Amino acid sequence: MIKIGIVGASGYSGSELLRFLVNHSGGLQVALCTSETYAGQGIESVLPNLRGFLSSAFEPLDLDSLKENVDVVVLAVPHKVAMSFVPQILAQGLRVVDFSADYRLGDAETYETWYHAEHTSPELMPQAVYGLPERYRAKIRDAQLVANPGCYPTSAILAAMPLVAQGAVELDSIIVDSKSGISGAGPKPRENTHYPNREANVVAYNIGVHRHTPEIEQELSAVASEPVRVTFTPHLVPMTRGILSTVYMHLTEKMSTEEALSIYSSFYEREPFVRVLPLGTYPETKAVLGSNYCDVGLEMDTRTRRVVAMAAIDNLGKGAAGAVVQNLNLMFGCNETDGLKMPGMMP
Amino acid sequence: MIKIGIVGASGYSGSELLRFLVNHSGGLQVALCTSETYAGQGIESVLPNLRGFLSSAFEPLDLDSLKENVDVVVLAVPHKVAMSFVPQILAQGLRVVDFSADYRLGDAETYETWYHAEHTSPELMPQAVYGLPERYRAKIRDAQLVANPGCYPTSAILAAMPLVAQGAVELDSIIVDSKSGISGAGPKPRENTHYPNREANVVAYNIGVHRHTPEIEQELSAVASEPVRVTFTPHLVPMTRGILSTVYMHLTEKMSTEEALSIYSSFYEREPFVRVLPLGTYPETKAVLGSNYCDVGLEMDTRTRRVVAMAAIDNLGKGAAGAVVQNLNLMFGCNETDGLKMPGMMP
Amino acid sequence: MIKIGIVGASGYSGSELLRFLVNHSGGLQVALCTSETYAGQGIESVLPNLRGFLSSAFEPLDLDSLKENVDVVVLAVPHKVAMSFVPQILAQGLRVVDFSADYRLGDAETYETWYHAEHTSPELMPQAVYGLPERYRAKIRDAQLVANPGCYPTSAILAAMPLVAQGAVELDSIIVDSKSGISGAGPKPRENTHYPNREANVVAYNIGVHRHTPEIEQELSAVASEPVRVTFTPHLVPMTRGILSTVYMHLTEKMSTEEALSIYSSFYEREPFVRVLPLGTYPETKAVLGSNYCDVGLEMDTRTRRVVAMAAIDNLGKGAAGAVVQNLNLMFGCNETDGLKMPGMMP
Amino acid sequence: MIKIGIVGASGYSGSELLRFLVNHSGGLQVALCTSETYAGQGIESVLPNLRGFLSSAFEPLDLDSLKENVDVVVLAVPHKVAMSFVPQILAQGLRVVDFSADYRLGDAETYETWYHAEHTSPELMPQAVYGLPERYRAKIRDAQLVANPGCYPTSAILAAMPLVAQGAVELDSIIVDSKSGISGAGPKPRENTHYPNREANVVAYNIGVHRHTPEIEQELSAVASEPVRVTFTPHLVPMTRGILSTVYMHLTEKMSTEEALSIYSSFYEREPFVRVLPLGTYPETKAVLGSNYCDVGLEMDTRTRRVVAMAAIDNLGKGAAGAVVQNLNLMFGCNETDGLKMPGMMP
């Protein structure tokens, strides 16, 4: 059994990871849950859905003793906090999966531009593997440090990648319009997560400056082998979970919806968690609710030679905790789908 | 492997049963899914969350050939339709679990009073076992015909039973005020399930005449060994899944919240899916969302010597498909919790 | 023109009052809006729905200069804060309408029992008029200090009053089960108003200890001319506005639904904002959304001789700001319905 | 008093028009409400929010007698039905405002391409005035036939128009990504308006073929004096009312957000119902809920030289019934804002 330590296990990503792992039958086991806020409190009293599953308490973080208790550390803490822990954990020989953005970008300069913070361990950035199995499966298996992708980037990259890889897209034409549930903002109550402010309300935010932008660009640039810039606009819509990203791309040459779908189907043929939808069917967030699936669909706007490609994920599933389980499975030689073969919850 | 045939598998109860069963590792296997509406269509195209799990199509129902294909039939069809099938299925020696109300009540007269329909196989009513494991576990194991409880009754009975069993309650004082999600009305679009009619809206319905009333009364009467009449008021609240039943009971003698909780804890001590919440904590529907759990809590209104007991379930989980899985597990010697150890989905 | 000063105008009650008053054509005018949090900021920037209606800024509260600027003060501040202002305002000869609970109860002892705070101006309690026009219309006209009713009490009292007044109810049998939208908790983000915690979730709270209990009891006792105790259970349901209160009462004698409805219709015959619904129609919160209406309906549970009476209001409308406008209209000789003839917003 | 006849008054557009008109003080009066479905039934029993406002019943439509009862006819019926009535109504000398799409487009060919139906009165198309006061105020005053704009086009045109008029936009670059509440689909229950299908769900629909596309293109082409083609993708989001349209446009030359906002502010300077939001503030649908306002905001994505312009409306308000009131006010010499000075309902 591989023993997992989750640092920051009371937040949404951490607790969703617990929800996935309590029934993982393939050799992964939760050995330690830390929480700054709830240290000493029973996990069940903080996370009532898990009542009956975990009788232990949240513990304070003791970086020095991790090695004695766990084989791998999952960091479910904010950016900047993550990089304050990672070097010390890696130094103990432990492997790390990091939910945060601290090691997703390839260079410190881009990080500092978008996050307005100095990166304190830039030397680790090159060795971190971007934890998107659909691109880096082999590297993830051997990685010491996996940077789990952001929720928006996961949906945007999976929606755009096959046609970008094909060279079929004008690279300066990519626009990502994302609609997200509120849980992406985390468990801490704020103005913009206050129920009356979000019910029956849709609004865009962080236009042009959202920190997931460079992550999308980095990966699509790598796919294209050319620099890609995207316009990315996230919106909040009145639901708790789920992201639908609608990606607009101008094609270099005319293409039918059927042709494009065929490219997508081939591209994702062996992917266990990407489902390419048939002609005329578009992704809906509810079909992947609570799961690790990403549904991808598309339609050609033939009059303007634009493709409208869409991806739906659960931001806490494939967009966070599900991806971590998938990465842990790869890192520790489990079956990649262990603990993840739950369908979305519908209706 | 026990082969299960689901009749009416495209409805909410049926499709939720599929969601539970696709990962059942304990020996239950879906062998046949029929649907009147969707016969011939791929299951995946009708139930997009199950894409990748079930490659077969819905089939038309052929009562005569069931025996060749399945070991047990789950009927996920409306009342009246169910009793038109059951005698013929039982006659083939197949066991049956019936989602409908047709065999829940002990006598045809009560059925006819509340359902305004003649019961066509009253001779089978006495042999049907009411599928509430918390009361009839032993009988369910051996039953040929299990009548799966209604969603409201499951919540009301589990909330009231321990104190009624204790003889601590004035039996003419029981009031059940239930708040239900919309999915209880099934997948067919109607006025009262139309999104704009239900969003931001709360309303009571079927006051004094809801058909789950005699079911609650029958079981609480059996518990009390005396006739019990309840006032039952169901309400629709703006959510898809979940029932919270608030049960008011006048006590025969003064009792503290702690004493009452202690009675509940003892009563449900060995129940794998009833969780008695600690003092000061009340059930919330989201903690059991998508699961087979029932959370029970209570508070004493000492000024009026009334207890306010509450139970939360997912109407499609413990209130329908989860209970069927639990019953199938019992009937076929599986571990009672197989396929059901999924926590609720929170947030 | 009567000049109104609103103290605490940026909260939900205050801003809803602004929404009602911007189009009041009958002689009421907003002359001053104070806000501790937003003093100095433009009202429009804080309340974007009011953009174009109010070009002024929130001001700090200066108790001493109120007299120079306004004819009446509406206090939209929390309890305890209200009573720290009221004596001084009254002393200036200004009339006051208080949203808070500080002057709703008739005696300081009850206040202190339920609010766990000492009342600092008990001598003013007897002169305050409980601002429910359906009971105290004449007194409100002449009042110096109007205590605007709580949202739950408004719905519970209006649902129960006609039968209680008739002497038709066993007074120890009254149970109030209320379902409320989230806005009742105010604009400050908290755990229990965090969108992911409230969406798709129903839960009871403050059972047996909610502070609106003595208010319901006080008024129903006055109606009955006998002490009344009620069991009151508030619930949060996933919507922003609206309260549905379901009131259970055991009748002293058998009565048909038609008879009871006829009593209600007579009782509320001249009330401009209470609508008694016809037989078989139950109140739904959306029909009164954003309005000052209270819809009342009922059904007899003849088997148990209980009546199920229901009232629906918008907690911010008839449950708060609408009632204040109605009271101001009465106090200043306007037409009682001025500024309030807006239907609910449906769908 | 101008007497208004509403044909199809029980649908969402018609009933919202009633909600606006019951308090119109400027000389417009509802004289006739027809409904095919509800003829003979009391308006109050069908539209419970209007209880107490309209004591009459829905009537069957008698085209021949309209002239005797009304001065103007508002058609709140589907396309194709509208054009089967309009010639006969105009022939009686009555003026018409048509909610439907039948006379929005300038030529029958475009109509037939997008609506897959023959236009039966193409000769009336040129004389119809597109009822967007922000473009055609003067013509609306004198129009016999006003074609009320579609909800999506209203939001898209108002978001894009100032920069298109300025010549600042590459005309082949316009993408409209709209997020709509469910009420746009009307009151008839369907699969895609079924509560459980829409709650917690986001999905795109009618990509590349939505019938509002040619309407957006026609008006932006007129503004630009050049043919404009847009990619338009509507999405359903879980709320009843509201549209947020996010419009992406590539600029011909670099421009700051401040410069662009200044262009918008000038352009809409005298518009009573378009509110240009200040720098850094984006439109949210709730701020215009239930109102006739359109909030417009924008942000420059300087890295890609794209502007992200947004408009929020209530699809039943400024997107339907509010616009009709505004047009009626213009047509009959009322104050343009009569009956429309209601702020949005927030929270």
Side-chain angles (χ1 to χ4, degrees), chain A residues 66-101:
Chain A
L66 284 173
K67 179 75 182 168
E68 300 157 30
N69 301 305
V70 306
D71 300 305
V72 57
V73 175
V74 177
L75 291 174
V77 294
H79 72 275
K80 293 204 274 187
V81 180
M83 65 184 170
S84 74
F85 296 156
V86 164
Q88 197 174 341
I89 301 172
L90 288 177
Q92 296 175 50
L94 289 168
R95 299 171 85 180
V96 172
V97 180
D98 179 12
F99 270 112
S100 92

Short mmCIF file of all heavy atoms in Angstrom, two decimals, chain A residues 66-101:
data_model
loop_
_atom_site.label_atom_id
_atom_site.label_comp_id
_atom_site.label_asym_id
_atom_site.label_seq_id
_atom_site.Cartn_x
_atom_site.Cartn_y
_atom_site.Cartn_z
N LEU A 66 7.22 13.91 7.87
CA LEU A 66 6.44 13.34 6.76
C LEU A 66 6.99 12.01 6.31
O LEU A 66 6.28 11.03 6.11
CB LEU A 66 6.41 14.33 5.58
CG LEU A 66 5.48 15.54 5.73
CD1 LEU A 66 5.69 16.51 4.58
CD2 LEU A 66 4.03 15.08 5.79
N LYS A 67 8.27 12.00 6.16
CA LYS A 67 8.98 10.83 5.65
C LYS A 67 8.63 9.55 6.42
O LYS A 67 8.58 8.46 5.86
CB LYS A 67 10.50 11.10 5.74
CG LYS A 67 11.40 10.00 5.29
CD LYS A 67 11.42 9.92 3.77
CE LYS A 67 12.31 8.75 3.30
NZ LYS A 67 12.12 8.47 1.88
N GLU A 68 8.43 9.71 7.71
CA GLU A 68 8.13 8.52 8.53
C GLU A 68 6.75 7.95 8.28
O GLU A 68 6.48 6.79 8.55
CB GLU A 68 8.22 8.89 10.03
CG GLU A 68 9.59 9.38 10.43
CD GLU A 68 9.51 10.25 11.69
OE1 GLU A 68 8.61 10.01 12.51
OE2 GLU A 68 10.33 11.18 11.83
N ASN A 69 5.86 8.83 7.79
CA ASN A 69 4.46 8.42 7.72
C ASN A 69 3.91 8.19 6.32
O ASN A 69 2.89 7.53 6.17
CB ASN A 69 3.58 9.46 8.42
CG ASN A 69 3.97 9.63 9.87
OD1 ASN A 69 4.00 8.65 10.62
ND2 ASN A 69 4.33 10.85 10.26
N VAL A 70 4.52 8.78 5.34
CA VAL A 70 3.91 8.73 4.01
C VAL A 70 4.94 8.43 2.92
O VAL A 70 6.14 8.62 3.12
CB VAL A 70 3.19 10.05 3.68
CG1 VAL A 70 2.18 10.42 4.76
CG2 VAL A 70 4.18 11.17 3.46
N ASP A 71 4.41 8.02 1.78
CA ASP A 71 5.26 7.76 0.61
C ASP A 71 5.20 8.89 -0.40
O ASP A 71 6.09 9.06 -1.22
CB ASP A 71 4.81 6.47 -0.07
CG ASP A 71 4.90 5.28 0.86
OD1 ASP A 71 5.99 5.04 1.40
OD2 ASP A 71 3.87 4.60 1.06
N VAL A 72 4.10 9.61 -0.35
CA VAL A 72 3.93 10.70 -1.31
C VAL A 72 3.11 11.78 -0.63
O VAL A 72 2.24 11.50 0.19
CB VAL A 72 3.23 10.19 -2.60
CG1 VAL A 72 1.88 9.56 -2.28
CG2 VAL A 72 3.07 11.30 -3.63
N VAL A 73 3.41 13.01 -0.97
CA VAL A 73 2.69 14.15 -0.39
C VAL A 73 1.87 14.84 -1.48
O VAL A 73 2.40 15.16 -2.54
CB VAL A 73 3.67 15.16 0.24
CG1 VAL A 73 2.93 16.40 0.73
CG2 VAL A 73 4.43 14.50 1.37
N VAL A 74 0.60 15.01 -1.20
CA VAL A 74 -0.23 15.83 -2.08
C VAL A 74 -0.42 17.17 -1.40
O VAL A 74 -0.93 17.23 -0.27
CB VAL A 74 -1.59 15.16 -2.35
CG1 VAL A 74 -2.46 16.06 -3.21
CG2 VAL A 74 -1.39 13.80 -3.01
N LEU A 75 -0.04 18.22 -2.08
CA LEU A 75 -0.18 19.55 -1.51
C LEU A 75 -1.47 20.19 -2.02
O LEU A 75 -1.60 20.47 -3.21
CB LEU A 75 1.02 20.42 -1.89
CG LEU A 75 2.35 20.04 -1.24
CD1 LEU A 75 3.48 20.89 -1.83
CD2 LEU A 75 2.27 20.21 0.27
N ALA A 76 -2.39 20.40 -1.11
CA ALA A 76 -3.65 21.06 -1.45
C ALA A 76 -3.71 22.40 -0.74
O ALA A 76 -4.63 22.69 0.01
CB ALA A 76 -4.82 20.16 -1.07
N VAL A 77 -2.70 23.18 -1.02
CA VAL A 77 -2.56 24.49 -0.38
C VAL A 77 -2.43 25.54 -1.48
O VAL A 77 -2.18 25.22 -2.64
CB VAL A 77 -1.32 24.53 0.55
CG1 VAL A 77 -1.52 23.59 1.74
CG2 VAL A 77 -0.05 24.19 -0.22
N PRO A 78 -2.60 26.80 -1.14
CA PRO A 78 -2.53 27.86 -2.16
C PRO A 78 -1.13 27.99 -2.77
O PRO A 78 -0.15 27.51 -2.19
CB PRO A 78 -2.89 29.14 -1.39
CG PRO A 78 -3.59 28.68 -0.15
CD PRO A 78 -3.00 27.34 0.18
N HIS A 79 -1.08 28.63 -3.93
CA HIS A 79 0.24 28.93 -4.49
C HIS A 79 0.98 29.82 -3.49
O HIS A 79 0.39 30.43 -2.62
CB HIS A 79 0.11 29.56 -5.87
CG HIS A 79 -0.39 30.97 -5.88
ND1 HIS A 79 -1.72 31.29 -5.87
CD2 HIS A 79 0.27 32.16 -5.88
CE1 HIS A 79 -1.87 32.59 -5.87
NE2 HIS A 79 -0.70 33.15 -5.87
N LYS A 80 2.24 29.87 -3.62
CA LYS A 80 3.17 30.51 -2.68
C LYS A 80 3.36 29.66 -1.42
O LYS A 80 4.49 29.45 -1.00
CB LYS A 80 2.75 31.93 -2.28
CG LYS A 80 2.82 32.90 -3.45
CD LYS A 80 2.98 34.34 -2.98
CE LYS A 80 1.64 34.98 -2.68
NZ LYS A 80 1.74 36.42 -2.39
N VAL A 81 2.28 29.16 -0.84
CA VAL A 81 2.45 28.25 0.29
C VAL A 81 3.09 26.96 -0.20
O VAL A 81 3.99 26.41 0.43
CB VAL A 81 1.09 27.96 0.96
CG1 VAL A 81 1.28 27.01 2.14
CG2 VAL A 81 0.42 29.26 1.41
N ALA A 82 2.63 26.48 -1.35
CA ALA A 82 3.16 25.22 -1.87
C ALA A 82 4.68 25.29 -2.03
O ALA A 82 5.42 24.42 -1.57
CB ALA A 82 2.48 24.88 -3.20
N MET A 83 5.16 26.36 -2.66
CA MET A 83 6.60 26.39 -2.91
C MET A 83 7.41 26.61 -1.64
O MET A 83 8.62 26.37 -1.63
CB MET A 83 6.97 27.41 -4.00
CG MET A 83 6.72 28.85 -3.68
SD MET A 83 7.11 29.87 -5.16
CE MET A 83 6.45 31.46 -4.66
N SER A 84 6.73 26.99 -0.57
CA SER A 84 7.45 27.09 0.70
C SER A 84 7.66 25.71 1.34
O SER A 84 8.44 25.56 2.27
CB SER A 84 6.70 28.02 1.67
OG SER A 84 5.55 27.39 2.17
N PHE A 85 6.93 24.70 0.84
CA PHE A 85 7.07 23.34 1.39
C PHE A 85 7.85 22.40 0.46
O PHE A 85 8.52 21.48 0.93
CB PHE A 85 5.68 22.71 1.60
CG PHE A 85 4.81 23.41 2.60
CD1 PHE A 85 3.41 23.28 2.53
CD2 PHE A 85 5.34 24.17 3.64
CE1 PHE A 85 2.59 23.90 3.46
CE2 PHE A 85 4.51 24.79 4.57
CZ PHE A 85 3.14 24.66 4.47
N VAL A 86 7.69 22.59 -0.83
CA VAL A 86 8.14 21.58 -1.78
C VAL A 86 9.63 21.22 -1.67
O VAL A 86 9.98 20.03 -1.62
CB VAL A 86 7.75 21.98 -3.22
CG1 VAL A 86 8.52 21.18 -4.25
CG2 VAL A 86 6.24 21.79 -3.40
N PRO A 87 10.52 22.21 -1.62
CA PRO A 87 11.94 21.82 -1.59
C PRO A 87 12.26 20.89 -0.43
O PRO A 87 12.95 19.88 -0.61
CB PRO A 87 12.66 23.17 -1.46
CG PRO A 87 11.70 24.16 -2.05
CD PRO A 87 10.34 23.66 -1.69
N GLN A 88 11.73 21.21 0.72
CA GLN A 88 12.02 20.41 1.90
C GLN A 88 11.44 18.99 1.78
O GLN A 88 12.04 18.01 2.24
CB GLN A 88 11.43 21.13 3.13
CG GLN A 88 11.98 20.65 4.43
CD GLN A 88 11.47 21.50 5.59
OE1 GLN A 88 11.00 22.63 5.40
NE2 GLN A 88 11.57 20.95 6.79
N ILE A 89 10.28 18.88 1.16
CA ILE A 89 9.67 17.56 1.01
C ILE A 89 10.45 16.71 0.00
O ILE A 89 10.74 15.54 0.23
CB ILE A 89 8.19 17.69 0.58
CG1 ILE A 89 7.40 18.49 1.63
CG2 ILE A 89 7.56 16.31 0.39
CD1 ILE A 89 5.99 18.83 1.21
N LEU A 90 10.78 17.35 -1.11
CA LEU A 90 11.57 16.62 -2.12
C LEU A 90 12.91 16.19 -1.54
O LEU A 90 13.41 15.09 -1.83
CB LEU A 90 11.80 17.49 -3.35
CG LEU A 90 10.59 17.76 -4.25
CD1 LEU A 90 10.99 18.70 -5.39
CD2 LEU A 90 10.02 16.46 -4.83
N ALA A 91 13.47 17.06 -0.70
CA ALA A 91 14.78 16.76 -0.13
C ALA A 91 14.76 15.51 0.75
O ALA A 91 15.78 14.84 0.95
CB ALA A 91 15.27 17.97 0.69
N GLN A 92 13.56 15.19 1.26
CA GLN A 92 13.44 13.97 2.06
C GLN A 92 13.29 12.74 1.17
O GLN A 92 13.10 11.62 1.66
CB GLN A 92 12.22 14.05 2.98
CG GLN A 92 12.31 15.15 4.04
CD GLN A 92 11.03 15.27 4.86
OE1 GLN A 92 10.54 14.27 5.38
NE2 GLN A 92 10.51 16.48 4.96
N GLY A 93 13.28 12.97 -0.13
CA GLY A 93 13.13 11.84 -1.05
C GLY A 93 11.69 11.47 -1.32
O GLY A 93 11.39 10.47 -1.97
N LEU A 94 10.79 12.28 -0.82
CA LEU A 94 9.37 12.00 -1.07
C LEU A 94 8.95 12.57 -2.42
O LEU A 94 9.45 13.61 -2.86
CB LEU A 94 8.52 12.64 0.04
CG LEU A 94 8.62 11.98 1.42
CD1 LEU A 94 7.99 12.88 2.47
CD2 LEU A 94 7.95 10.61 1.39
N ARG A 95 8.00 11.91 -3.03
CA ARG A 95 7.43 12.45 -4.27
C ARG A 95 6.28 13.39 -3.91
O ARG A 95 5.69 13.28 -2.86
CB ARG A 95 6.95 11.32 -5.17
CG ARG A 95 8.13 10.40 -5.56
CD ARG A 95 7.67 9.15 -6.26
NE ARG A 95 7.49 9.35 -7.70
CZ ARG A 95 7.09 8.39 -8.54
NH1 ARG A 95 6.81 7.18 -8.08
NH2 ARG A 95 6.97 8.63 -9.82
N VAL A 96 6.00 14.31 -4.79
CA VAL A 96 5.00 15.35 -4.52
C VAL A 96 4.06 15.52 -5.70
O VAL A 96 4.49 15.53 -6.86
CB VAL A 96 5.70 16.71 -4.24
CG1 VAL A 96 4.68 17.84 -4.15
CG2 VAL A 96 6.55 16.64 -2.98
N VAL A 97 2.76 15.62 -5.39
CA VAL A 97 1.80 16.14 -6.37
C VAL A 97 1.26 17.44 -5.79
O VAL A 97 0.77 17.46 -4.66
CB VAL A 97 0.65 15.15 -6.63
CG1 VAL A 97 -0.32 15.73 -7.65
CG2 VAL A 97 1.19 13.81 -7.12
N ASP A 98 1.37 18.49 -6.59
CA ASP A 98 1.03 19.83 -6.10
C ASP A 98 -0.22 20.34 -6.83
O ASP A 98 -0.21 20.51 -8.04
CB ASP A 98 2.24 20.75 -6.36
CG ASP A 98 1.96 22.18 -5.90
OD1 ASP A 98 0.96 22.41 -5.21
OD2 ASP A 98 2.77 23.06 -6.28
N PHE A 99 -1.28 20.56 -6.08
CA PHE A 99 -2.50 21.14 -6.66
C PHE A 99 -2.29 22.57 -7.13
O PHE A 99 -3.03 23.08 -7.94
CB PHE A 99 -3.61 21.18 -5.60
CG PHE A 99 -4.48 19.97 -5.52
CD1 PHE A 99 -4.45 19.14 -4.41
CD2 PHE A 99 -5.39 19.69 -6.54
CE1 PHE A 99 -5.29 18.04 -4.30
CE2 PHE A 99 -6.23 18.59 -6.44
CZ PHE A 99 -6.18 17.75 -5.33
N SER A 100 -1.32 23.25 -6.55
CA SER A 100 -1.21 24.69 -6.78
C SER A 100 -0.53 24.99 -8.10
O SER A 100 -0.09 24.10 -8.84
CB SER A 100 -0.42 25.34 -5.65
OG SER A 100 0.96 25.41 -5.96
N ALA A 101 -0.41 26.26 -8.41
CA ALA A 101 0.17 26.69 -9.68
C ALA A 101 1.68 26.86 -9.61
O ALA A 101 2.31 27.19 -10.62
CB ALA A 101 -0.46 28.02 -10.08
#
